[in-house]
Amino acid sequence: MPPPAKKTAIPKPPKSAADTRRILAALSTQHPNADTELNFRNAYELLVATILSAQCTDERVNQVTPALFKRYPDARALAKATTAELEPQIQSTGFFRAKSRSLLGMATEVVDNHGGGVPGTMDELVKLPGVGRKTANVVLGHALGVPGLPVDRHVLRVANRIGIAKSEEPEVVEQQLCGALPPADWTRSSDTLILHGRRICKPKPLCPQCAVRADCVYYRAVVSKFVAPAPKTGHGSTRFKARSTGRGGAAVAKAPASLAEAKRRRGAPRQTRTK
């Protein structure tokens, strides 16, 4: 019998579990009552909306789903549809052919294997067409009352920048955050990080508006070097202000988007201007 496979060690984030809880508490004051921005009334509607939200804004999905749910109010109705019928209704969400196949496959599986009801476990959900861990966690946490921590591109970016996570793998970041937070806080913490990523910690971050800038590994290691010093005050101290992007808010436009990019820049040869 071969020896059991060794479990890959999960990297340790720069911030401790206590730091993570404190940082999330501070972010929750900046984004109070954070919640999913998808409109839904039950687990089926949220599952459909989340599948549609891939590479699409929640706002656009919310424009499409009212008519969609009126025509297909449950999985049984959706399973009877055809791709030719479904594609025009979801075309504006992008990747509509792949999404229509996922939706029809999901609905058929739910009807055939779960009696028409959305299953309530991670293992069952990820077996459905078009459903990965992120989508499953969204449905579990928001519609079924089961603790789940969805990790999307915003959570990946924000958590790694601040230092409460250390990986580019969504499942690893999920494990790191879940290990630092009580289960009751998992879903709300994900929503908070997502809103922070959409509103403040964008690819070009609005660091002056961030409630946890003083705790942020990325800000201290990278962004602070791109912040222009303001004139000294009368009390002998120096204040700093971010360079303006000219687009309605202060941002650090020249700062690299990640620590990895900063390291690549430092390792790149300097370019000299030719006369």
Side-chain angles (χ1 to χ4, degrees):
M1 178 181 292
K6 292 183 178 179
K7 292 184 178 180
T8 304
I10 300 175
K12 186 177 180 180
K15 302 294 185 181
S16 68
D19 287 335
T20 299
R21 293 190 291 271
R22 177 177 54 79
I23 288 167
L24 262 302
L27 286 176
S28 68
T29 64
Q30 187 165 19
H31 309 284
N33 304 315
D35 200 354
T36 178
E37 295 184 322
L38 293 171
N39 296 333
F40 69 97
R41 294 170 296 184
N42 51 54
Y44 159 75
E45 291 189 353
L46 182 57
L47 181 54
V48 170
T50 307
I51 291 174
L52 290 175
S53 70
Q55 304 298 315
C56 181
T57 64
D58 291 352
E59 181 181 7
R60 170 63 64 182
V61 173
N62 289 336
Q63 294 172 1
V64 169
T65 50
L68 191 69
F69 294 150
K70 184 176 181 180
R71 185 165 182 174
Y72 309 111
D74 53 36
R76 294 186 186 279
L78 182 58
K80 296 176 182 178
T82 65
T83 55
E85 295 170 341
L86 190 58
E87 286 176 3
Q89 299 173 71
I90 65 172
Q91 185 171 1
S92 64
T93 67
F95 301 96
F96 60 93
R97 291 187 177 88
K99 290 178 180 179
S100 67
R101 292 193 296 270
S102 293
L103 289 174
L104 295 179
M106 176 275 293
T108 300
E109 289 277 335
V110 167
V111 171
D112 291 347
N113 299 328
H114 302 284
V118 174
T121 69
M122 173 65 72
D123 289 343
E124 292 173 314
L125 281 168
V126 296
K127 292 177 182 177
L128 300 175
V131 178
R133 287 193 66 87
K134 186 201 81 170
T135 297
N137 272 321
V138 169
V139 175
L140 289 171
H142 291 96
L144 297 175
V146 179
L149 200 154
V151 176
D152 69 353
R153 68 185 188 277
H154 300 295
V155 175
L156 273 178
R157 180 176 65 252
V158 175
N160 275 284
R161 280 180 173 177
I162 295 173
I164 58 178
K166 185 181 180 181
S167 178
E168 294 302 320
E169 296 294 328
E171 191 166 349
V172 174
V173 171
E174 179 187 339
Q175 293 176 13
Q176 291 170 338
L177 293 175
C178 287
L181 300 166
D185 291 347
W186 289 355
T187 303
R188 179 167 50 85
S189 295
S190 171
D191 292 334
T192 299
L193 291 170
I194 289 171
L195 290 184
H196 195 65
R198 289 175 177 172
R199 298 171 177 174
I200 307 296
C201 197
K202 304 176 182 183
K204 289 184 178 180
L206 305 177
C207 294
Q209 300 177 30
C210 178
V212 297
R213 183 179 62 184
D215 290 294
C216 182
V217 170
Y218 170 73
Y219 179 81
R220 294 170 65 181
V222 180
V223 177
S224 61
K225 296 177 174 59
F226 292 82
V227 178
K232 289 186 176 181
T233 67
H235 299 287
S237 61
T238 301
R239 293 181 180 177
F240 293 87
K241 64 179 180 179
R243 296 185 178 98
S244 174
T245 63
R247 296 183 179 181
V252 189
K254 294 185 179 180
S258 66
L259 292 173
E261 183 183 342
K263 292 178 181 178
R264 287 195 296 271
R265 286 192 187 182
R266 287 198 292 268
R270 292 187 177 181
Q271 294 182 349
T272 57
R273 185 178 297 175
T274 56
K275 294 183 179 180

